[in-house]
Amino acid sequence: MRVGKPDQDASENKIPRLHLVLVEEPEAHLHAQVQQVFIKKAYSLLRNHEDLGTSIDKGSTGQFSTQLVISTHSSHVAHEADFACLRYFRRRRAETRAQAPTTTVANLSTVFGSEDSTTKFVARYLKATHCDLFFADAAIFVEGQAERILVPQFIRNFFPDLNRRYVTLLDLGGSHAHKFKSLVDTLGLSTLIISDLDAAQKTKITDKNGVETTRSKSAAPAIGKGQITTNPVLKSWHPQLEDIDDLIELPDANQIVGAKHDYSLYVAYQKPIKVFQGTSDEGTLIPRTFEDALVYSNIATLSGIQGSSVSSKINGIVADSQTPEELKESLFELLKSAEKAAFALDCLMIDDPLSLVPPKYICGGLTWLQDYLTETANDVVTVDSNE
């Protein structure tokens, strides 16, 4: 445009058609809040002229189409950019020592390009939560606030190697993790999903017109009762099973989804726990949610918990129940409408944090993730000599 320059014959001074601005890691010199302002305003500043703006239909000035390319490790910068503009550089380890690690570039516009409800949910959730999913070593998906509060404490107290990793934790407030499958596959991000068994009993209902339909009603998990799970993660992502009996009998090794050497995924959900309660013999209970699994795994620790009303009720249930079955039924009714986050906060304030242990299914998932990240820390994949 030669703004401020003397007029010259265009035939002698051809205007460059390419206008490319490269900015490398602006976060190195900017505070977090300024990083977000910068990425919001940078491109509009480059087009800040009355003959440019956002239009290219202004005669000869339409020849000026500036491109702005920014490389960044900042979640603040990535958060403010449109997902369609993001390119994710994904590192792939070498399969042998004779090869070098490689990098591929994922175009995220293909992940968030459609307008269906799933992609809208994922894109808007990431915008709303300001998560650092793109820069993490691994991701942990949880279903509720209680897990969001206590899983980081379990990691700090019992998984020191995992605590040193850059792991992002996403609380989806329900069974929505399956909606992230396409994004996880694209990023190649090692992922742990901590899900709920969510058992339900199928019942047949006949309306006044004699039409029979089948409905599912929340139920305490039991084997041999024809129950199903209502959790879409378990039904549609992994292990793609609906029958409660099949889910409970599934070997732990089959809860892992391998993806060659790029990344792996583990889906953790509740399985039977041995519980000794009251004066009865030891009993085996199947938790339905994180909260009852936590109680079953910490009977002694939670027997004196105080604080919120729900914690006091749990304290009373633990003290008054004479058998494991009575404990299960009382907790099932309470947790239907309990304020679970308040209970988790009370657990966080227990005098000896090491006395509160993670439920078995969560312990299994965190152990897998810690071991997997340790194993994949090197750039070279260890290949069995017999393969």
Side-chain angles (χ1 to χ4, degrees):
M1 293 180 67
R2 300 185 62 79
V3 177
K5 302 293 183 181
D7 292 335
Q8 296 183 19
D9 185 1
S11 62
E12 298 178 2
N13 297 277
K14 293 184 178 180
I15 299 173
R17 299 297 180 89
L18 177 64
H19 297 266
L20 182 61
V21 179
L22 305 176
V23 182
E24 181 181 5
E25 300 185 3
E27 64 269 17
H29 304 285
L30 298 175
H31 290 294
Q33 67 270 28
V34 183
Q35 293 174 32
Q36 294 181 248
V37 174
F38 166 78
I39 196 65
K40 286 179 180 178
K41 301 295 183 180
Y43 190 73
S44 61
L45 177 63
L46 295 176
R47 306 290 293 174
N48 188 22
H49 189 279
E50 58 183 5
D51 290 335
L52 297 177
T54 58
S55 173
I56 60 172
D57 299 322
K58 293 180 178 291
S60 61
T61 58
Q63 301 170 15
F64 297 96
S65 297
T66 305
Q67 291 185 354
L68 175 63
V69 179
I70 297 175
S71 64
T72 183
H73 289 91
S74 169
S75 60
H76 300 285
V77 173
H79 180 265
E80 292 301 327
D82 191 305
F83 284 120
C85 298
L86 294 179
R87 304 295 181 267
Y88 181 79
F89 286 73
R90 175 180 172 186
R91 186 172 180 82
R92 296 175 182 269
R93 297 180 299 149
E95 295 190 10
T96 68
R97 296 189 181 279
Q99 298 177 343
T102 59
T103 298
T104 58
V105 183
N107 185 344
L108 296 188
S109 66
T110 61
V111 179
F112 298 104
S114 65
E115 288 297 322
D116 61 43
S117 58
T118 296
T119 53
K120 281 183 179 179
F121 173 84
V122 175
R124 292 178 183 179
Y125 175 85
L126 293 178
K127 285 292 186 183
T129 57
H130 202 147
C131 77
D132 47 6
L133 193 66
F134 300 119
F135 306 99
D137 293 326
I140 299 177
F141 291 90
V142 298
E143 288 201 9
Q145 293 180 332
E147 294 99 312
R148 180 69 181 86
I149 293 168
L150 291 177
V151 167
Q153 173 163 292
F154 294 148
I155 293 175
R156 284 192 298 271
N157 294 337
F158 301 102
F159 299 91
D161 290 340
L162 185 58
N163 193 40
R164 290 192 286 268
R165 301 289 181 178
Y166 187 10
V167 178
T168 185
L169 194 147
L170 289 81
D171 166 19
L172 298 178
S175 307
H176 296 290
H178 65 290
K179 296 180 179 179
F180 283 77
K181 184 179 185 303
S182 177
L183 180 60
V184 169
D185 289 343
T186 300
L187 301 183
L189 187 63
S190 301
T191 302
L192 167 64
I193 301 176
I194 297 176
S195 192
D196 281 340
L197 191 58
D198 287 340
Q201 190 69 51
K202 292 186 291 185
T203 57
K204 292 183 178 180
I205 300 175
T206 303
D207 62 19
K208 60 182 180 180
N209 297 320
V211 178
E212 188 177 83
T213 58
T214 301
R215 294 185 181 180
S216 300
K217 183 179 180 181
S218 174
I223 297 176
K225 299 293 185 180
Q227 293 180 346
I228 62 171
T229 179
T230 58
N231 194 313
V233 171
L234 303 179
K235 292 192 295 183
S236 64
W237 192 348
H238 189 75
Q240 296 185 0
L241 296 173
E242 185 178 48
D243 189 83
I244 290 295
D245 291 0
D246 293 339
L247 288 167
I248 290 175
E249 294 172 2
L250 187 74
D252 293 348
N254 291 358
Q255 293 175 220
I256 303 171
V257 181
K260 296 183 179 180
H261 301 303
D262 289 337
Y263 77 104
S264 194
L265 176 141
Y266 185 104
V267 180
Y269 56 89
Q270 295 86 1
K271 288 189 174 182
I273 299 176
K274 290 184 178 180
V275 178
F276 182 85
Q277 178 65 19
T279 58
S280 73
D281 294 331
E282 185 181 75
T284 300
L285 301 179
I286 307 172
R288 186 179 188 274
T289 64
F290 168 71
E291 291 76 20
D292 53 351
L294 185 67
V295 174
Y296 297 163
S297 304
N298 295 274
I299 293 289
T301 300
L302 298 178
S303 61
I305 189 170
Q306 298 293 334
S308 63
S309 60
V310 65
S311 295
S312 298
K313 291 177 181 178
I314 288 176
N315 184 2
I317 289 173
V318 172
D320 298 338
S321 298
Q322 295 301 307
T323 65
E325 195 65 27
E326 185 179 340
L327 174 68
K328 180 185 74 172
E329 293 175 0
S330 299
L331 277 178
F332 177 73
E333 292 301 320
L334 173 64
L335 294 175
K336 286 181 178 180
S337 58
E339 190 180 352
K340 298 176 180 180
F343 170 58
L345 290 171
D346 292 335
C347 291
L348 198 64
M349 299 305 296
I350 289 175
D351 291 338
D352 180 10
L354 294 178
S355 66
L356 188 76
V357 300
K360 183 179 178 180
Y361 75 104
I362 291 181
C363 187
L366 294 176
T367 299
W368 167 84
L369 185 59
Q370 177 173 260
D371 293 345
Y372 182 80
L373 291 179
T374 300
E375 176 189 348
T376 58
N378 298 322
D379 275 336
V380 179
V381 176
T382 301
V383 179
D384 194 321
S385 59
N386 296 322
E387 291 184 353

